[in-house]
Amino acid sequence: MTTVAEVAEQDGRAARERAPRRAFGDWTASLRSLDVLDILKAQNAIRAADLVPVRWGRMSASPWTFYRGAAAVMAADLGTRPHSGLTVQLCGDAHLLNFGLWATPERNLSFDLRDFDETLPGPFEWDVARLVTSIVVLAREHGGDAAEAVAQCLAAYRTQIARHAGAHVLDTWYDLIHVDRFLSVFTDADRPRAAAHIARKAQRRTHRGVLRKLTEIRDGRLRISEDPPIREHRPDGPADELFARYRESLPDDRRHLLDRFTPVDAVRQVVGVGSVGMRVHLLLLQGRDTTDPLFLQIKQAGESVYEPFCGASRYAEHGRRVIEGKRLVQSATDVFVGWTGAHGHDYYVRQFRDMKVIAHGELLAPRLPEFATACGHVLARSHARSGDAVAIAAYLGRGRAFDDGMTAFAHAYADQNAADHARLVEAIDAGALPTAPGW
């Protein structure tokens, strides 16, 4: 009698016919059916119009910032190609800076994926392609050994997928990459420095740290300080309505905890690169007194950039799509995550910062292979949680076909990304797109 694992292995090998592994590297812009700038401009339809110039300004800064903001472009390009059909819950934007450390509900630091605006079920290799290309793009801007980093990332992914293919289901589900395991990829010489840096960052990036940095007492009341256009009070901000509907999305125990806090202030916030223009509200809640804060980020969610190619989300609310994907992919999730909506827009909610430690490109460059290895581990774990690790492992095989195809794609698509960035800059210089500073 054929076992479930044997069927999955047959499916994985059959997928090689649908999507030959080495052929993934055969990228050419002639495969495109959509114009890059048209794709990006179409995304502005649901964004705050006054922030669109800030988005163009941030994306035009460099090929790396363009890559971070152009997930929709890459999704359209990946959608033109044959794929494995081996479905996982995609992160959707698995570039290097969307991996980081944050606190689990038990207040331990875990290394995991951190951004799920584009999450959707889709072919596993699309996440891998997004990750390895980001390594090359970042290395070209900030330095670092891109060839070694890509090789180690892919080797880590394959090794961990194979490990999960042979593991018990619950062992994979409960697998958590604790900060100590994350640090183990660094050399003995670098490990103490990395550990000290993480500890300092985590101590500062708490609710009380945000309280010290981003608030003030005004007219005898605690208020979020302004820094236009990054943070500013808006008379039309629907924070109260959003908060009420968000509360309804929480399970009873989380509502009980949330009810111990009272909303006292809210501002509109500008975050990231690809997210600029999406409506984001930073909400300050107060517990027992002004020294007992809770900061929640309420972030607009639109259609995933993969929906035109993978089908619509099963969830009617895009905020719920993000949160359900986040819960499926991460081993431990923020206790305050939820979703809401108002005035025709969907949103998701999470804690702001809460011990989150996120690397910067220039800091990553000297240790790019080590960091890329850790990212490969995490991505494999997330795919094993939501997909079939046995089928993926069978597709990957033991040789270099997948690695060679992905490596060739990463370099070819980094070239494409640089050309696309140049087109954006030309359009801005010609006056076809408005731009504004916003860092």
Side-chain angles (χ1 to χ4, degrees):
M1 182 176 178
T2 305
T3 67
V4 172
E6 287 170 341
V7 171
E9 188 171 349
Q10 291 168 7
D11 289 344
R13 289 178 176 168
R16 298 177 186 177
E17 299 298 320
R18 293 192 296 272
R21 294 164 295 174
R22 290 188 192 277
F24 207 89
D26 299 334
W27 167 253
T28 170
S30 64
L31 296 169
R32 285 180 163 171
S33 59
L34 300 171
D35 180 77
V36 171
L37 295 184
D38 287 345
I39 293 171
L40 295 174
K41 286 188 286 188
Q43 290 189 291
N44 292 333
I46 64 170
R47 297 174 189 244
D50 63 307
L51 294 179
V52 168
V54 179
R55 181 193 185 207
W56 296 135
R58 289 192 176 187
M59 287 185 67
S60 67
S62 71
W64 172 239
T65 58
F66 180 88
Y67 187 78
R68 290 174 59 189
V73 174
M74 191 169 191
D77 289 335
L78 292 171
T80 65
R81 319 193 59 183
H83 61 75
S84 69
L86 302 177
T87 299
V88 300
Q89 184 72 29
L90 294 171
C91 162
D93 194 13
H95 67 69
L96 281 171
L97 297 194
N98 277 341
F99 294 77
L101 289 151
W102 51 21
T104 69
E106 298 78 22
R107 316 316 293 157
N108 298 313
L109 277 180
S110 168
F111 184 70
D112 214 326
L113 284 156
R114 71 176 190 89
D115 189 291
F116 299 93
D117 287 24
E118 310 302 344
T119 188
L120 198 73
F124 83 93
E125 67 270 23
W126 290 3
D127 264 352
V128 179
R130 184 80 176 147
L131 174 56
V132 294
T133 303
S134 77
I135 294 171
V136 178
V137 176
L138 184 142
R140 289 181 181 182
E141 180 158 333
H142 295 292
D145 190 339
E148 182 65 17
V150 168
Q152 290 198 22
C153 179
L154 290 169
Y157 182 85
R158 275 191 297 104
T159 300
Q160 293 303 309
I161 282 289
R163 181 174 74 85
H164 288 297
H168 294 139
V169 172
L170 288 179
D171 290 340
T172 292
W173 190 258
Y174 291 128
D175 188 33
L176 183 74
I177 300 181
H178 187 270
V179 63
D180 293 338
R181 186 168 158 198
F182 166 70
L183 288 168
S184 69
V185 304
F186 291 89
T187 64
D188 291 342
D190 281 343
R191 199 171 300 130
R193 183 183 305 172
H197 173 77
I198 289 167
R200 287 194 304 271
K201 285 282 190 179
Q203 288 171 5
R204 289 200 297 265
R205 296 179 71 84
T206 63
H207 292 289
R208 285 186 289 276
V210 179
L211 180 72
R212 290 190 295 270
K213 185 175 181 180
L214 299 186
T215 66
E216 60 189 5
I217 300 295
R218 193 166 63 249
D219 299 326
R221 301 175 66 185
L222 187 62
R223 289 288 181 264
I224 300 172
S225 56
E226 290 199 340
D227 181 19
I230 307 304
R231 291 185 312 278
E232 56 184 336
H233 291 86
R234 303 276 294 187
D236 57 345
D240 291 342
E241 184 178 353
L242 290 170
F243 181 76
R245 295 191 62 187
Y246 153 67
R247 183 183 178 279
E248 296 173 3
S249 75
L250 297 176
D252 285 350
D253 63 323
R254 308 299 163 81
R255 290 188 198 180
H256 177 80
L257 176 58
L258 184 68
D259 288 346
R260 295 184 173 223
F261 293 87
T262 302
V264 296
D265 197 20
V267 294
R268 189 180 73 172
Q269 190 179 32
V270 177
V271 298
V273 179
S275 296
V276 176
M278 300 297 272
R279 295 162 180 84
V280 182
H281 306 276
L282 179 61
L283 181 63
L284 167 61
L285 300 94
Q286 185 175 304
R288 290 191 174 93
D289 54 37
T290 58
T291 67
D292 187 18
L294 170 64
F295 289 88
L296 297 177
Q297 188 181 72
I298 306 175
K299 187 176 182 184
Q300 184 184 358
E303 178 183 276
S304 168
V305 296
Y306 294 93
E307 289 190 47
F309 317 103
C310 297
S313 169
R314 59 181 289 198
Y315 301 108
E317 307 98 334
H318 287 294
R320 183 175 182 184
R321 171 186 60 78
V322 172
I323 294 305
E324 299 292 5
K326 179 183 177 73
R327 287 172 172 162
L328 186 55
V329 168
Q330 289 183 318
S331 290
T333 301
D334 175 3
V335 298
F336 283 108
V337 294
W339 59 88
T340 183
H343 302 175
H345 300 299
D346 295 334
Y347 296 81
Y348 66 93
V349 184
R350 61 188 176 186
Q351 289 185 73
F352 181 62
R353 295 191 177 169
D354 189 39
M355 297 176 65
K356 295 179 180 69
V357 181
I358 303 162
H360 298 290
E362 59 272 17
L363 296 178
L364 282 183
R367 299 167 185 83
L368 194 56
E370 292 91 339
F371 190 81
T373 298
C375 294
H377 281 196
V378 166
L379 192 62
R381 197 274 334 276
S382 73
H383 287 175
R385 279 173 62 94
S386 61
D388 192 327
V390 175
I392 296 172
Y395 176 82
L396 296 177
R398 297 182 179 179
R400 289 201 50 84
F402 181 78
D403 291 31
D404 289 346
M406 273 294 165
T407 299
F409 176 83
H411 289 276
Y413 202 81
D415 292 341
Q416 182 67 64
N417 179 76
D420 293 343
H421 168 255
R423 274 206 65 202
L424 175 65
V425 172
E426 288 172 5
I428 291 172
D429 289 345
L433 296 174
T435 185
W439 292 100

